[in-house]
Amino acid sequence: MIDLHTHLLPGVDDGSPTATHSATVLRRMQGEGVRTVVCTPHLKASEAWEAPVAEHARLRDELITLSPPEVTLLPGFEIMLDLPGIDLTAESLALGGSPARLVEFPRRGLPAGATEELLRLRMSGVLPVVAHPERYNGCTVDTLGVWRELGAVMQADAMALLGAGPMADFSRQALSEGLVDVLASDNHGDRRSLATARDWLTEMGAMEQAQLLTEENPRRLLAGEALLPVPPIRFRRGVFDRLRELVFGSRPVGTREARAPGA
């Protein structure tokens, strides 16, 4: 599997605090079948011109020496689109040197010009990958359809699928309508896992979709290739309830109003 969205670069944001801690998480990921991890620390678009690329490269090299050799670590950022019109074409802002840029919007609500900003980015030659669209108040499945028609990629959080409440419902609805292109863990040095979502989808009979969402489409994105459509998934409630209980017990997780841990 390929995890495109993590906060495992140590000590630079609200993610993993140390390289030793990150290495422990990466060993667990390796055991679950993850072979490529993109480190995507937070960055505001308005500060992109001074992104600490060299320092992050040094930290990533240090982390590589402590991590399983089977896991490849790639550079990237999660870019908050706090101001419109910022030039994000610098290769140093890319996911693993690809045309893709992982972007996010404020949780309080989509800016009025969100769609226009994604179109501008696409027209500039970069591929905007919208992180966790299920979190944004005001975002609908129709919004996702428009964004995908413009050429943007939708990245849903793997663990959101297994929650309860509006955010989880939105994620599953988007998958049921074929509007999600890739899954990622958004791991912040915690237990969030791409493998849990993969295993659940496989249990649901959606093995093809699981492979596309966690392996093939992430690989294509990093290689600059066209992504494949992910067939809609029919969810069976009984299987969902059983697997959610296995992972979370009886505790509901995730709402669109409550902030996700480490977000």
Side-chain angles (χ1 to χ4, degrees):
M1 293 184 292
I2 298 172
D3 200 338
L4 295 172
H5 181 176
T6 71
H7 295 268
L8 293 176
L9 202 65
V12 299
D13 59 9
D14 58 346
S16 178
T18 67
T20 301
H21 185 88
S22 294
T24 299
V25 175
L26 287 166
R27 283 192 290 273
R28 174 179 61 79
M29 288 182 165
Q30 186 269 329
E32 294 172 341
V34 175
R35 293 296 177 265
T36 301
V37 171
V38 186
C39 297
T40 55
H42 291 292
L43 177 71
K44 293 180 180 179
S46 59
E47 300 173 357
W49 64 276
E50 57 180 357
V53 176
E55 174 62 12
H56 286 186
R58 184 190 67 78
L59 291 170
R60 190 174 65 257
D61 288 344
E62 176 186 342
L63 182 56
I64 288 171
T65 66
L66 301 174
S67 301
E70 299 88 351
V71 178
T72 299
L73 297 182
L74 298 177
F77 288 97
E78 181 183 15
I79 304 171
M80 169 64 72
L81 299 177
D82 60 329
L83 288 179
I86 303 296
D87 182 3
L88 300 181
T89 59
E91 186 175 343
S92 58
L93 303 175
L95 295 180
S98 73
R101 308 292 188 273
L102 183 67
V103 299
E104 64 174 337
F105 292 107
R107 288 178 59 90
R108 63 180 178 273
L110 290 177
T115 297
E116 290 75 12
E117 181 64 5
L118 292 177
L119 176 60
R120 183 194 67 81
L121 289 171
R122 193 70 189 95
M123 296 298 291
S124 74
V126 305
L127 177 64
V129 180
V130 180
H132 40 62
E134 66 274 3
R135 296 187 190 179
Y136 308 131
N137 290 322
C139 186
T140 68
V141 290
D142 290 337
T143 306
L144 302 194
V146 171
W147 289 351
R148 292 179 79 250
E149 288 178 2
L150 298 177
V153 171
M154 299 301 112
Q155 176 258 298
D157 271 3
M159 298 303 285
L161 300 176
L162 301 174
M167 188 170 72
D169 292 342
F170 183 90
S171 294
R172 293 192 290 273
Q173 183 183 1
L175 273 176
S176 72
E177 298 188 22
L179 296 174
V180 177
D181 300 293
V182 295
L183 291 176
S185 71
D186 194 11
N187 187 288
H188 277 64
D190 47 37
R191 297 293 301 178
R192 276 179 270 191
S193 168
L194 192 56
T196 303
R198 175 204 60 193
D199 294 346
W200 175 58
L201 289 171
T202 300
E203 180 77 12
M204 293 282 290
M207 184 178 297
E208 176 190 3
Q209 291 92 332
Q211 194 272 339
L212 286 169
L213 290 163
T214 65
E215 299 179 42
E216 182 61 22
N217 274 349
R219 182 197 67 77
R220 286 173 171 264
L221 187 144
L222 291 176
E225 300 173 3
L227 274 59
L228 297 178
V230 179
I233 300 173
R234 168 177 273 182
F235 290 102
R236 293 180 283 120
R237 183 71 184 178
V239 174
F240 163 68
D241 284 341
R242 181 165 65 84
L243 287 179
R244 180 164 59 84
E245 289 171 3
L246 288 173
V247 177
F248 297 109
S250 60
R251 177 176 58 88
V253 298
T255 67
R256 299 186 75 188
E257 290 76 22
R259 187 172 181 84

